mmCIF file with all atom_site columns, all heavy atoms in Angstrom:
data_model
loop_
_atom_site.group_PDB
_atom_site.id
_atom_site.type_symbol
_atom_site.label_atom_id
_atom_site.label_alt_id
_atom_site.label_comp_id
_atom_site.label_asym_id
_atom_site.label_entity_id
_atom_site.label_seq_id
_atom_site.pdbx_PDB_ins_code
_atom_site.Cartn_x
_atom_site.Cartn_y
_atom_site.Cartn_z
_atom_site.occupancy
_atom_site.B_iso_or_equiv
_atom_site.pdbx_formal_charge
_atom_site.auth_seq_id
_atom_site.auth_comp_id
_atom_site.auth_asym_id
_atom_site.auth_atom_id
_atom_site.pdbx_PDB_model_num
ATOM 1   N N   . TYR A 1 87  ? 6.732   -4.147  -7.059  1.00 97.00 ? 677 TYR A N   1
ATOM 2   C CA  . TYR A 1 87  ? 5.738   -5.127  -6.636  1.00 97.00 ? 677 TYR A CA  1
ATOM 3   C C   . TYR A 1 87  ? 5.741   -5.252  -5.131  1.00 97.00 ? 677 TYR A C   1
ATOM 4   O O   . TYR A 1 87  ? 6.763   -5.492  -4.523  1.00 97.00 ? 677 TYR A O   1
ATOM 5   C CB  . TYR A 1 87  ? 5.987   -6.472  -7.308  1.00 97.00 ? 677 TYR A CB  1
ATOM 6   C CG  . TYR A 1 87  ? 5.713   -6.454  -8.790  1.00 97.00 ? 677 TYR A CG  1
ATOM 7   C CD1 . TYR A 1 87  ? 6.647   -5.926  -9.666  1.00 97.00 ? 677 TYR A CD1 1
ATOM 8   C CD2 . TYR A 1 87  ? 4.491   -6.885  -9.309  1.00 97.00 ? 677 TYR A CD2 1
ATOM 9   C CE1 . TYR A 1 87  ? 6.371   -5.836  -11.025 1.00 97.00 ? 677 TYR A CE1 1
ATOM 10  C CE2 . TYR A 1 87  ? 4.232   -6.824  -10.671 1.00 97.00 ? 677 TYR A CE2 1
ATOM 11  C CZ  . TYR A 1 87  ? 5.187   -6.278  -11.490 1.00 97.00 ? 677 TYR A CZ  1
ATOM 12  O OH  . TYR A 1 87  ? 4.883   -6.183  -12.851 1.00 97.00 ? 677 TYR A OH  1
ATOM 13  N N   . LEU A 1 88  ? 4.575   -5.022  -4.553  1.00 96.00 ? 678 LEU A N   1
ATOM 14  C CA  . LEU A 1 88  ? 4.441   -4.990  -3.095  1.00 96.00 ? 678 LEU A CA  1
ATOM 15  C C   . LEU A 1 88  ? 3.556   -6.198  -2.659  1.00 96.00 ? 678 LEU A C   1
ATOM 16  O O   . LEU A 1 88  ? 2.475   -6.373  -3.155  1.00 96.00 ? 678 LEU A O   1
ATOM 17  C CB  . LEU A 1 88  ? 3.716   -3.723  -2.673  1.00 96.00 ? 678 LEU A CB  1
ATOM 18  C CG  . LEU A 1 88  ? 4.374   -2.403  -3.033  1.00 96.00 ? 678 LEU A CG  1
ATOM 19  C CD1 . LEU A 1 88  ? 3.356   -1.290  -3.120  1.00 96.00 ? 678 LEU A CD1 1
ATOM 20  C CD2 . LEU A 1 88  ? 5.406   -2.030  -1.969  1.00 96.00 ? 678 LEU A CD2 1
ATOM 21  N N   . CYS A 1 89  ? 4.042   -6.951  -1.686  1.00 96.00 ? 679 CYS A N   1
ATOM 22  C CA  . CYS A 1 89  ? 3.190   -7.978  -1.117  1.00 96.00 ? 679 CYS A CA  1
ATOM 23  C C   . CYS A 1 89  ? 2.501   -7.327  0.086   1.00 96.00 ? 679 CYS A C   1
ATOM 24  O O   . CYS A 1 89  ? 2.991   -6.383  0.696   1.00 96.00 ? 679 CYS A O   1
ATOM 25  C CB  . CYS A 1 89  ? 3.938   -9.210  -0.658  1.00 96.00 ? 679 CYS A CB  1
ATOM 26  S SG  . CYS A 1 89  ? 5.182   -8.925  0.631   1.00 96.00 ? 679 CYS A SG  1
ATOM 27  N N   . ALA A 1 90  ? 1.278   -7.811  0.401   1.00 95.00 ? 680 ALA A N   1
ATOM 28  C CA  . ALA A 1 90  ? 0.515   -7.258  1.503   1.00 95.00 ? 680 ALA A CA  1
ATOM 29  C C   . ALA A 1 90  ? -0.315  -8.360  2.109   1.00 95.00 ? 680 ALA A C   1
ATOM 30  O O   . ALA A 1 90  ? -0.728  -9.329  1.405   1.00 95.00 ? 680 ALA A O   1
ATOM 31  C CB  . ALA A 1 90  ? -0.385  -6.115  1.074   1.00 95.00 ? 680 ALA A CB  1
ATOM 32  N N   . MET A 1 91  ? -0.587  -8.329  3.400   1.00 92.00 ? 681 MET A N   1
ATOM 33  C CA  . MET A 1 91  ? -1.355  -9.366  4.045   1.00 92.00 ? 681 MET A CA  1
ATOM 34  C C   . MET A 1 91  ? -2.058  -8.816  5.252   1.00 92.00 ? 681 MET A C   1
ATOM 35  O O   . MET A 1 91  ? -1.733  -7.764  5.802   1.00 92.00 ? 681 MET A O   1
ATOM 36  C CB  . MET A 1 91  ? -0.456  -10.526 4.392   1.00 92.00 ? 681 MET A CB  1
ATOM 37  C CG  . MET A 1 91  ? 0.829   -10.207 5.103   1.00 92.00 ? 681 MET A CG  1
ATOM 38  S SD  . MET A 1 91  ? 2.066   -11.525 4.939   1.00 92.00 ? 681 MET A SD  1
ATOM 39  C CE  . MET A 1 91  ? 2.707   -11.278 3.306   1.00 92.00 ? 681 MET A CE  1
ATOM 40  N N   . ARG A 1 92  ? -3.103  -9.529  5.706   1.00 88.00 ? 682 ARG A N   1
ATOM 41  C CA  . ARG A 1 92  ? -3.843  -9.194  6.925   1.00 88.00 ? 682 ARG A CA  1
ATOM 42  C C   . ARG A 1 92  ? -4.447  -10.424 7.538   1.00 88.00 ? 682 ARG A C   1
ATOM 43  O O   . ARG A 1 92  ? -4.621  -11.456 6.892   1.00 88.00 ? 682 ARG A O   1
ATOM 44  C CB  . ARG A 1 92  ? -4.876  -8.133  6.628   1.00 88.00 ? 682 ARG A CB  1
ATOM 45  C CG  . ARG A 1 92  ? -5.922  -8.491  5.573   1.00 88.00 ? 682 ARG A CG  1
ATOM 46  C CD  . ARG A 1 92  ? -6.898  -7.347  5.394   1.00 88.00 ? 682 ARG A CD  1
ATOM 47  N NE  . ARG A 1 92  ? -7.757  -7.492  4.253   1.00 88.00 ? 682 ARG A NE  1
ATOM 48  C CZ  . ARG A 1 92  ? -8.914  -8.100  4.252   1.00 88.00 ? 682 ARG A CZ  1
ATOM 49  N NH1 . ARG A 1 92  ? -9.371  -8.649  5.420   1.00 88.00 ? 682 ARG A NH1 1
ATOM 50  N NH2 . ARG A 1 92  ? -9.620  -8.274  3.155   1.00 88.00 ? 682 ARG A NH2 1
ATOM 51  N N   . GLU A 1 93  ? -4.816  -10.281 8.820   1.00 82.00 ? 683 GLU A N   1
ATOM 52  C CA  . GLU A 1 93  ? -5.395  -11.373 9.544   1.00 82.00 ? 683 GLU A CA  1
ATOM 53  C C   . GLU A 1 93  ? -6.836  -11.591 9.163   1.00 82.00 ? 683 GLU A C   1
ATOM 54  O O   . GLU A 1 93  ? -7.274  -12.703 8.827   1.00 82.00 ? 683 GLU A O   1
ATOM 55  C CB  . GLU A 1 93  ? -5.336  -11.124 11.061  1.00 82.00 ? 683 GLU A CB  1
ATOM 56  C CG  . GLU A 1 93  ? -3.914  -11.065 11.609  1.00 82.00 ? 683 GLU A CG  1
ATOM 57  C CD  . GLU A 1 93  ? -3.902  -10.786 13.113  1.00 82.00 ? 683 GLU A CD  1
ATOM 58  O OE1 . GLU A 1 93  ? -4.895  -11.165 13.805  1.00 82.00 ? 683 GLU A OE1 1
ATOM 59  O OE2 . GLU A 1 93  ? -2.924  -10.211 13.597  1.00 82.00 ? 683 GLU A OE2 1
ATOM 60  N N   . GLY A 1 94  ? -7.621  -10.561 9.227   1.00 71.00 ? 684 GLY A N   1
ATOM 61  C CA  . GLY A 1 94  ? -9.037  -10.646 8.948   1.00 71.00 ? 684 GLY A CA  1
ATOM 62  C C   . GLY A 1 94  ? -9.492  -9.242  8.657   1.00 71.00 ? 684 GLY A C   1
ATOM 63  O O   . GLY A 1 94  ? -9.104  -8.645  7.676   1.00 71.00 ? 684 GLY A O   1
ATOM 64  N N   . ALA A 1 95  ? -10.306 -8.691  9.592   1.00 66.00 ? 685 ALA A N   1
ATOM 65  C CA  . ALA A 1 95  ? -10.741 -7.329  9.417   1.00 66.00 ? 685 ALA A CA  1
ATOM 66  C C   . ALA A 1 95  ? -9.724  -6.381  10.050  1.00 66.00 ? 685 ALA A C   1
ATOM 67  O O   . ALA A 1 95  ? -9.997  -5.619  10.969  1.00 66.00 ? 685 ALA A O   1
ATOM 68  C CB  . ALA A 1 95  ? -12.109 -7.116  10.043  1.00 66.00 ? 685 ALA A CB  1
ATOM 69  N N   . GLU A 1 96  ? -8.509  -6.463  9.556   1.00 68.00 ? 686 GLU A N   1
ATOM 70  C CA  . GLU A 1 96  ? -7.396  -5.652  10.121  1.00 68.00 ? 686 GLU A CA  1
ATOM 71  C C   . GLU A 1 96  ? -6.732  -4.864  9.011   1.00 68.00 ? 686 GLU A C   1
ATOM 72  O O   . GLU A 1 96  ? -7.001  -5.033  7.835   1.00 68.00 ? 686 GLU A O   1
ATOM 73  C CB  . GLU A 1 96  ? -6.341  -6.600  10.764  1.00 68.00 ? 686 GLU A CB  1
ATOM 74  C CG  . GLU A 1 96  ? -6.832  -7.492  11.846  1.00 68.00 ? 686 GLU A CG  1
ATOM 75  C CD  . GLU A 1 96  ? -7.085  -6.735  13.115  1.00 68.00 ? 686 GLU A CD  1
ATOM 76  O OE1 . GLU A 1 96  ? -6.529  -5.648  13.297  1.00 68.00 ? 686 GLU A OE1 1
ATOM 77  O OE2 . GLU A 1 96  ? -7.863  -7.268  13.978  1.00 68.00 ? 686 GLU A OE2 1
ATOM 78  N N   . LYS A 1 97  ? -5.846  -3.991  9.420   1.00 82.00 ? 687 LYS A N   1
ATOM 79  C CA  . LYS A 1 97  ? -5.090  -3.199  8.446   1.00 82.00 ? 687 LYS A CA  1
ATOM 80  C C   . LYS A 1 97  ? -4.186  -4.087  7.656   1.00 82.00 ? 687 LYS A C   1
ATOM 81  O O   . LYS A 1 97  ? -3.747  -5.147  8.094   1.00 82.00 ? 687 LYS A O   1
ATOM 82  C CB  . LYS A 1 97  ? -4.283  -2.131  9.141   1.00 82.00 ? 687 LYS A CB  1
ATOM 83  C CG  . LYS A 1 97  ? -3.224  -2.709  10.117  1.00 82.00 ? 687 LYS A CG  1
ATOM 84  C CD  . LYS A 1 97  ? -2.467  -1.590  10.808  1.00 82.00 ? 687 LYS A CD  1
ATOM 85  C CE  . LYS A 1 97  ? -1.376  -2.124  11.699  1.00 82.00 ? 687 LYS A CE  1
ATOM 86  N NZ  . LYS A 1 97  ? -1.946  -2.650  12.957  1.00 82.00 ? 687 LYS A NZ  1
ATOM 87  N N   . LEU A 1 98  ? -3.889  -3.648  6.412   1.00 88.00 ? 688 LEU A N   1
ATOM 88  C CA  . LEU A 1 98  ? -2.900  -4.342  5.587   1.00 88.00 ? 688 LEU A CA  1
ATOM 89  C C   . LEU A 1 98  ? -1.490  -4.085  6.101   1.00 88.00 ? 688 LEU A C   1
ATOM 90  O O   . LEU A 1 98  ? -1.173  -2.968  6.477   1.00 88.00 ? 688 LEU A O   1
ATOM 91  C CB  . LEU A 1 98  ? -3.009  -3.872  4.145   1.00 88.00 ? 688 LEU A CB  1
ATOM 92  C CG  . LEU A 1 98  ? -4.183  -4.369  3.311   1.00 88.00 ? 688 LEU A CG  1
ATOM 93  C CD1 . LEU A 1 98  ? -4.164  -3.689  1.935   1.00 88.00 ? 688 LEU A CD1 1
ATOM 94  C CD2 . LEU A 1 98  ? -4.069  -5.877  3.125   1.00 88.00 ? 688 LEU A CD2 1
ATOM 95  N N   . VAL A 1 99  ? -0.666  -5.134  6.100   1.00 92.00 ? 689 VAL A N   1
ATOM 96  C CA  . VAL A 1 99  ? 0.743   -4.995  6.413   1.00 92.00 ? 689 VAL A CA  1
ATOM 97  C C   . VAL A 1 99  ? 1.497   -5.283  5.121   1.00 92.00 ? 689 VAL A C   1
ATOM 98  O O   . VAL A 1 99  ? 1.324   -6.316  4.513   1.00 92.00 ? 689 VAL A O   1
ATOM 99  C CB  . VAL A 1 99  ? 1.170   -5.969  7.503   1.00 92.00 ? 689 VAL A CB  1
ATOM 100 C CG1 . VAL A 1 99  ? 2.644   -5.773  7.812   1.00 92.00 ? 689 VAL A CG1 1
ATOM 101 C CG2 . VAL A 1 99  ? 0.333   -5.752  8.774   1.00 92.00 ? 689 VAL A CG2 1
ATOM 102 N N   . PHE A 1 100 ? 2.324   -4.339  4.707   1.00 94.00 ? 690 PHE A N   1
ATOM 103 C CA  . PHE A 1 100 ? 3.021   -4.390  3.414   1.00 94.00 ? 690 PHE A CA  1
ATOM 104 C C   . PHE A 1 100 ? 4.478   -4.806  3.597   1.00 94.00 ? 690 PHE A C   1
ATOM 105 O O   . PHE A 1 100 ? 5.120   -4.461  4.583   1.00 94.00 ? 690 PHE A O   1
ATOM 106 C CB  . PHE A 1 100 ? 2.965   -3.074  2.707   1.00 94.00 ? 690 PHE A CB  1
ATOM 107 C CG  . PHE A 1 100 ? 1.673   -2.741  2.066   1.00 94.00 ? 690 PHE A CG  1
ATOM 108 C CD1 . PHE A 1 100 ? 0.626   -2.157  2.835   1.00 94.00 ? 690 PHE A CD1 1
ATOM 109 C CD2 . PHE A 1 100 ? 1.451   -2.984  0.723   1.00 94.00 ? 690 PHE A CD2 1
ATOM 110 C CE1 . PHE A 1 100 ? -0.608  -1.837  2.211   1.00 94.00 ? 690 PHE A CE1 1
ATOM 111 C CE2 . PHE A 1 100 ? 0.238   -2.663  0.127   1.00 94.00 ? 690 PHE A CE2 1
ATOM 112 C CZ  . PHE A 1 100 ? -0.772  -2.093  0.889   1.00 94.00 ? 690 PHE A CZ  1
#
Side-chain angles (χ1 to χ4, degrees):
Chain A
Y677 290 79
L678 302 154
C679 63
M681 48 200 80
R682 59 181 168 88
E683 294 179 28
E686 301 286 339
K687 62 181 183 284
L688 282 175
V689 180
F690 283 85

